[in-house]
Amino acid sequence: MFVLLLGKNWYPNRQLPWRNSRQSHFHQFHSDLGSRQVLYLNQTNTVEKPFKCDLCDYRCSKRSNLETHIKCKHTKEKDFSCHMCQYKCVTKGKLNFHFRKHTGEKPYECDLCDYRCTTRGHLERHIKHKHTKEKNFSCHMCQYKCVTKGNLNLHLRNHTGDKPYKCDLCDCRCSVRSTLKKHIKYKHTKEKDFSCHTCQYKCVTKSDLNLHLRKHTGEKPYKCDICDYRCSAKSNLNKHILSKHAK
């Protein structure tokens, strides 16, 4: 029998027993973080997955998951549309997440600091990045380590040159979906909604503005774990690691 146990601390706005004494109960939190992992009570990796995709090797335990997979990976049907912008997506769940960009709603709150976010996945990544500091995923081609498998897969594209995301308006291809979104704004829509309060600089994204502001402040928050190199942009740190420390 396969049982999925989720710690109650992962529901939005849940009040936890250590809410008012965050730091002193960090180790208790860390233990609970581990307890939310998937547990195989019969110590087996075999889970019944009767639904199989006819177009690839994907298998799953629910018909609804198979239908979502087919729409996401094969038919590319986007039946859900945002009434506030041109965003379209495959599932209602993704549309609900998208709406939070417009409403500003952030229902998930960290119990160790004041961080709030729109999705449970973002909260999980925040906790690992900022609090538990777990880097369980390592690159087999260099000394890069990271918190999530998704980050590792993105990093590996620096080595392989894989660029799975393609622009519908030109031949541009990107290794990261967020880079494709920036490309569309830079090259096609020409939207520059963010402005520097110190100079006349304008840009497409808030992250670009934050990078620019570091030219004024001199802040270099990214540090190499292997040497004393520091920089203002994570991409520069990745380039440094590849050029100076890769095998």
Side-chain angles (χ1 to χ4, degrees), residues 22-119:
R22 291 172 175 169
Q23 299 303 324
S24 62
H25 293 282
F26 177 77
H27 294 293
Q28 175 64 42
F29 169 82
H30 194 181
S31 175
D32 287 348
L33 179 64
S35 71
R36 67 175 294 280
Q37 303 298 323
V38 177
L39 300 179
Y40 293 88
L41 297 186
N42 62 349
Q43 295 182 342
T44 178
N45 290 326
T46 302
V47 180
E48 184 180 3
K49 295 182 179 180
F51 299 98
K52 183 185 182 303
C53 178
D54 293 331
L55 301 172
C56 68
D57 294 329
Y58 176 82
R59 301 188 72 97
C60 56
S61 58
K62 295 181 180 180
R63 186 186 303 276
S64 59
N65 290 346
L66 177 59
E67 292 174 352
T68 300
H69 160 80
I70 292 173
K71 286 185 177 182
C72 288
K73 299 297 183 180
H74 302 299
T75 63
K76 308 294 185 181
E77 297 174 19
K78 295 182 178 180
D79 299 328
F80 297 89
S81 302
C82 177
H83 65 279
M84 301 177 71
C85 69
Q86 296 180 335
Y87 176 81
K88 293 183 179 182
C89 58
V90 173
T91 66
K92 186 176 181 180
K94 288 185 177 181
L95 182 60
N96 290 336
F97 286 143
H98 168 79
F99 278 144
R100 291 172 183 164
K101 293 182 178 180
H102 297 295
T103 64
E105 180 189 8
K106 295 182 178 181
Y108 297 93
E109 181 180 0
C110 179
D111 289 287
L112 296 170
C113 69
D114 295 328
Y115 176 82
R116 300 185 70 97
C117 55
T118 57
T119 69

Side-chain angles (χ1 to χ4, degrees), residues 33-226:
L33 179 64
S35 71
R36 67 175 294 280
Q37 303 298 323
V38 177
L39 300 179
Y40 293 88
L41 297 186
N42 62 349
Q43 295 182 342
T44 178
N45 290 326
T46 302
V47 180
E48 184 180 3
K49 295 182 179 180
F51 299 98
K52 183 185 182 303
C53 178
D54 293 331
L55 301 172
C56 68
D57 294 329
Y58 176 82
R59 301 188 72 97
C60 56
S61 58
K62 295 181 180 180
R63 186 186 303 276
S64 59
N65 290 346
L66 177 59
E67 292 174 352
T68 300
H69 160 80
I70 292 173
K71 286 185 177 182
C72 288
K73 299 297 183 180
H74 302 299
T75 63
K76 308 294 185 181
E77 297 174 19
K78 295 182 178 180
D79 299 328
F80 297 89
S81 302
C82 177
H83 65 279
M84 301 177 71
C85 69
Q86 296 180 335
Y87 176 81
K88 293 183 179 182
C89 58
V90 173
T91 66
K92 186 176 181 180
K94 288 185 177 181
L95 182 60
N96 290 336
F97 286 143
H98 168 79
F99 278 144
R100 291 172 183 164
K101 293 182 178 180
H102 297 295
T103 64
E105 180 189 8
K106 295 182 178 181
Y108 297 93
E109 181 180 0
C110 179
D111 289 287
L112 296 170
C113 69
D114 295 328
Y115 176 82
R116 300 185 70 97
C117 55
T118 57
T119 69
R120 182 182 287 112
H122 289 164
L123 178 59
E124 292 174 0
R125 287 195 292 272
H126 161 80
I127 291 170
K128 287 185 176 181
H129 278 295
K130 299 298 183 180
H131 301 299
T132 64
K133 306 294 185 181
E134 298 174 12
K135 293 185 178 181
N136 298 325
F137 297 90
S138 301
C139 177
H140 64 279
M141 301 177 72
C142 69
Q143 297 178 332
Y144 176 82
K145 292 184 179 182
C146 57
V147 171
T148 67
K149 187 175 181 181
N151 286 344
L152 179 59
N153 289 337
L154 290 178
H155 167 80
L156 289 173
R157 291 172 186 163
N158 292 328
H159 297 294
T160 63
D162 184 29
K163 295 182 179 181
Y165 300 100
K166 185 185 181 302
C167 178
D168 293 331
L169 301 171
C170 68
D171 294 330
C172 175
R173 301 190 71 95
C174 308
S175 59
V176 184
R177 182 181 284 111
S178 60
T179 303
L180 177 58
K181 291 180 180 179
K182 290 179 183 178
H183 159 79
I184 292 172
K185 286 187 175 182
Y186 281 124
K187 300 296 183 181
H188 303 297
T189 63
K190 306 293 186 181
E191 299 171 14
K192 292 186 177 181
D193 300 326
F194 298 89
S195 302
C196 177
H197 63 278
T198 304
C199 67
Q200 296 181 334
Y201 176 82
K202 293 184 178 182
C203 57
V204 171
T205 67
K206 187 176 181 179
S207 60
D208 284 343
L209 179 60
N210 290 336
L211 286 176
H212 168 78
L213 289 175
R214 289 170 186 161
K215 293 181 179 180
H216 296 297
T217 64
E219 181 188 8
K220 295 182 179 181
Y222 298 98
K223 182 184 182 303
C224 179
D225 292 331
I226 302 169

